[in-house]
Amino acid sequence: MQHQRLHKGLLYLRYIVIAILSLILILAVTAVFAQDKSSSLETKIKPYKDNGMFRKDDKRIGYFIKLKNRNTSTQKGSILIEVKNTYSQLIYKTAVGIEIEPGSAFYKEVDFENPYFRPGFYYVTMAIKTNSWNDTPYYVFAVEPERMQPSTYRPNDFKNFWNQSKTELLSIDPNYQVIRRSDVGTDDNEVYMVEFMSISNTKIRGWLTVPKGRGKFPVIYNLPAYVTSAEPIMRRDAAVFSLDIRGVGNSADLAKITAEKYLIAGIHDRNSYIYKDAYMDCLRGLDFLFSQHDLKIDPTKIIVKGEGQGACLAAVVVALDGRRVKGLIMDRPTLLDVRTLFAVDEAQSQVPWPVNALKEYFSKSKTSENTFFRTWDYFDPLSFASDIKCPVLLGTLLKSTTSPPQCAYNFYNQVLSAKREVYVCAEGENNMDKGYYVFEGNWTREVLRIPN
């Protein structure tokens, strides 16, 4: 009995200790949040031009800075501002002292007075330090990137290689199959699963959606991002053909290829490299659209588009057979101008994809960068840029590391189309802003002559 009372006493004591510790934890967390709230410094920093794009003859190149003190005490400190070029070379540096009373704001216009702003891209860091705040936001701006000296590494036998590849594709009977999928259709769209044979006698599939209205509809030919499966995309004003390239989604009959292996599959031989076959898959998809006469699609009105890897696949298709295409839309192209991508990303504190993945592969397989580029130069969309003649819309992000603007502009500056446009977002690293998609929609309707 005495043992039982002792056991209950220890149990109650345990509950009391747990309650006290919990209370202490709650008070500590509350204090932390209260401290964070009281010590906050609201920052609003933006370039003189909203999209961060300057001209060399602009009277002022720089940023607006506004800091609002949300603390209950005065914040004193400084802002250390550094501007570096693409290759992390310091070209401008200044320090600004700050003292902000509670509830007040600090305003500053910082002009980068430097004669060495050649055409290109520049990285800005602003190390803000006060007695209760420490943060280093970064920004990117550009000076006349359309005047950057273009570079290309297109092999001498580039044209011959791709002509032979197209001849190889023509030797394969496409055996187009169009299967109506009423199970995924809607009140507004018919949905079809499309199948055809591509190079190496591989079956490729994609989704075709066609509005149920009268007449023939223009076509959006949508190509996939990196190792991303296609899905039906519904529109009321246009048909949409979304393709799965080999090894991905519905086109993985032989084997599914993972994201880790896709980029390097067959890389040691240009004839066995995965992207040779993938590019031919996409080209045959365009052939399919011209082979159909009973699906209410208008093959004289086709835009090829994609985001990420899909943007590059679209560029290659248009370069290989652009005479049949009305327009090209490239949203944040990745795997573009990979030589420049290496130079840009290696200057970063953390090397991002795909450069980090390729470097890991080089190390494990004892493959040199030169060996990789001897193959890749045949496949880099940069090598196809000068063969693109149709209207082009390219969207790029100044802060992107997987799709840096240096690569996008090196490509854009070599496109020979009479109608080409680039949309630049100064903020965000992974997605274009809403304004871009409004612009893209209007651009699409204009090129395909779709009524509003």
Side-chain angles (χ1 to χ4, degrees):
M1 190 71 174
Q2 185 179 1
H3 177 76
Q4 187 176 5
R5 286 197 297 270
L6 179 63
H7 176 73
K8 287 184 178 179
L10 290 173
L11 187 61
Y12 293 147
L13 178 61
R14 180 184 177 190
Y15 288 151
I16 292 171
V17 170
I18 291 174
I20 292 173
L21 291 175
S22 299
L23 180 60
I24 292 172
L25 180 61
I26 290 170
L27 291 173
V29 171
T30 302
V32 169
F33 278 111
Q35 184 180 16
D36 284 348
K37 184 177 180 180
S38 66
S39 65
S40 67
L41 190 68
E42 182 181 308
T43 62
K44 291 185 178 179
I45 302 173
K46 65 177 184 177
Y48 292 160
K49 292 188 174 180
D50 287 341
N51 64 354
M53 306 292 286
F54 293 93
R55 299 199 61 78
K56 197 171 183 179
D57 57 1
D58 282 338
K59 293 182 180 180
R60 304 176 70 201
I61 297 176
Y63 282 73
F64 297 107
I65 299 176
K66 178 183 177 181
L67 307 177
K68 184 71 178 289
N69 185 2
R70 298 292 187 185
N71 203 344
T72 56
S73 60
T74 299
Q75 295 205 43
K76 297 180 181 180
S78 65
I79 309 174
L80 177 62
I81 303 170
E82 293 185 345
V83 181
K84 297 181 180 180
N85 64 14
T86 292
Y87 306 105
S88 289
Q89 296 169 322
L90 182 65
I91 63 171
Y92 181 82
K93 182 176 181 178
T94 190
V96 178
I98 55 176
E99 181 174 344
I100 319 173
E101 294 182 356
S104 297
F106 170 87
Y107 300 92
K108 181 71 175 178
E109 296 179 8
V110 179
D111 292 338
F112 301 145
E113 299 173 358
N114 193 306
Y116 299 107
F117 284 128
R118 298 185 177 90
F121 295 86
Y122 297 89
Y123 295 81
V124 184
T125 56
M126 298 192 185
I128 306 171
K129 293 184 179 180
T130 73
N131 47 300
S132 57
W133 185 263
N134 189 347
D135 191 24
T136 306
Y138 87 99
Y139 307 89
V140 183
F141 70 91
V143 177
E144 297 184 345
E146 70 279 1
R147 295 181 58 189
M148 290 169 54
Q149 186 66 34
S151 60
T152 183
Y153 299 89
R154 178 164 159 160
N156 292 330
D157 62 342
F158 177 84
K159 282 273 192 182
N160 184 52
F161 173 74
W162 286 108
N163 284 336
Q164 289 179 354
S165 299
K166 289 193 287 185
T167 299
E168 186 179 346
L169 178 65
L170 289 173
S171 69
I172 304 296
D173 180 4
N175 190 26
Y176 299 121
Q177 302 290 323
V178 181
I179 305 163
R180 184 180 178 186
R181 289 289 302 273
S182 56
D183 56 317
V184 290
T186 67
D187 292 340
D188 298 314
N189 288 86
E190 297 284 5
V191 179
Y192 305 91
M193 172 62 72
V194 174
E195 298 180 353
F196 55 76
M197 301 303 294
S198 182
I199 200 169
S200 304
N201 281 308
T202 300
K203 185 172 287 188
I204 304 301
R205 297 182 178 88
W207 293 101
L208 175 66
T209 65
V210 183
K212 290 183 177 179
R214 294 181 179 180
K216 290 191 173 184
F217 293 89
V219 184
I220 309 296
Y221 182 21
N222 191 59
L223 295 173
Y226 187 72
V227 193
T228 301
S229 300
E231 295 180 354
I233 299 175
M234 315 291 184
R235 291 181 62 130
R236 293 183 179 181
D237 57 359
V240 182
F241 182 36
S242 302
L243 194 71
D244 273 327
I245 56 177
R246 66 187 56 217
V248 181
N250 287 315
S251 298
D253 286 12
L254 297 180
K256 182 178 181 180
I257 306 177
T258 64
E260 293 76 18
K261 294 184 178 180
Y262 206 96
L263 184 57
I264 58 174
I267 188 62
H268 288 283
D269 183 348
R270 65 182 185 178
N271 286 299
S272 62
Y273 188 33
I274 186 69
Y275 279 100
K276 175 191 172 184
D277 294 347
Y279 289 172
M280 292 299 101
D281 297 343
C282 297
L283 188 59
R284 176 130 289 178
L286 183 63
D287 292 337
F288 161 76
L289 293 173
F290 280 86
S291 72
Q292 304 303 303
H293 306 286
D294 303 318
L295 288 176
K296 297 196 304 180
I297 60 176
D298 185 350
T300 67
K301 295 182 179 180
I302 297 176
I303 278 181
V304 188
K305 68 173 291 188
E307 63 179 44
Q309 173 195 257
C312 292
L313 295 173
V316 171
V317 167
V318 170
L320 291 174
D321 197 356
R323 62 185 173 82
R324 299 190 291 182
V325 172
K326 288 296 183 184
L328 165 65
I329 297 176
M330 303 175 68
D331 180 350
R332 296 165 293 120
T334 57
L335 301 176
L336 170 65
D337 189 11
V338 174
R339 286 181 181 267
T340 297
L341 184 64
F342 263 70
V344 171
D345 284 358
E346 286 177 337
Q348 306 297 317
S349 56
Q350 290 185 333
V351 180
W353 186 91
V355 174
N356 59 353
L358 287 170
K359 281 184 168 293
E360 182 179 359
Y361 168 72
F362 297 158
S363 177
K364 289 181 178 179
S365 66
K366 297 183 179 179
T367 301
S368 69
E369 286 188 18
N370 288 336
T371 299
F372 166 74
F373 281 116
R374 274 199 297 271
T375 299
W376 177 255
D377 288 341
Y378 286 91
F379 300 90
D380 196 312
L382 180 69
S383 298
F384 294 83
S386 60
D387 293 326
I388 296 174
K389 306 296 195 304
C390 71
V392 176
L393 171 61
L394 189 153
T396 189
L397 295 156
L398 290 184
K399 286 187 174 183
S400 177
T401 54
T402 57
S403 175
Q406 292 90 336
C407 302
Y409 264 93
N410 195 21
F411 172 90
Y412 179 78
N413 290 344
Q414 297 182 56
V415 171
L416 300 180
S417 171
K419 178 180 172 59
R420 59 185 184 130
E421 299 181 70
V422 61
Y423 187 107
V424 179
C425 293
E427 290 298 327
E429 299 179 34
N430 300 309
N431 295 293
M432 302 295 290
D433 61 27
K434 292 180 180 178
Y436 167 77
Y437 294 105
V438 173
F439 187 89
E440 180 195 292
N442 293 332
W443 192 91
T444 298
R445 285 189 288 273
E446 178 186 344
V447 170
L448 295 180
R449 296 181 181 179
I450 300 174
N452 289 321

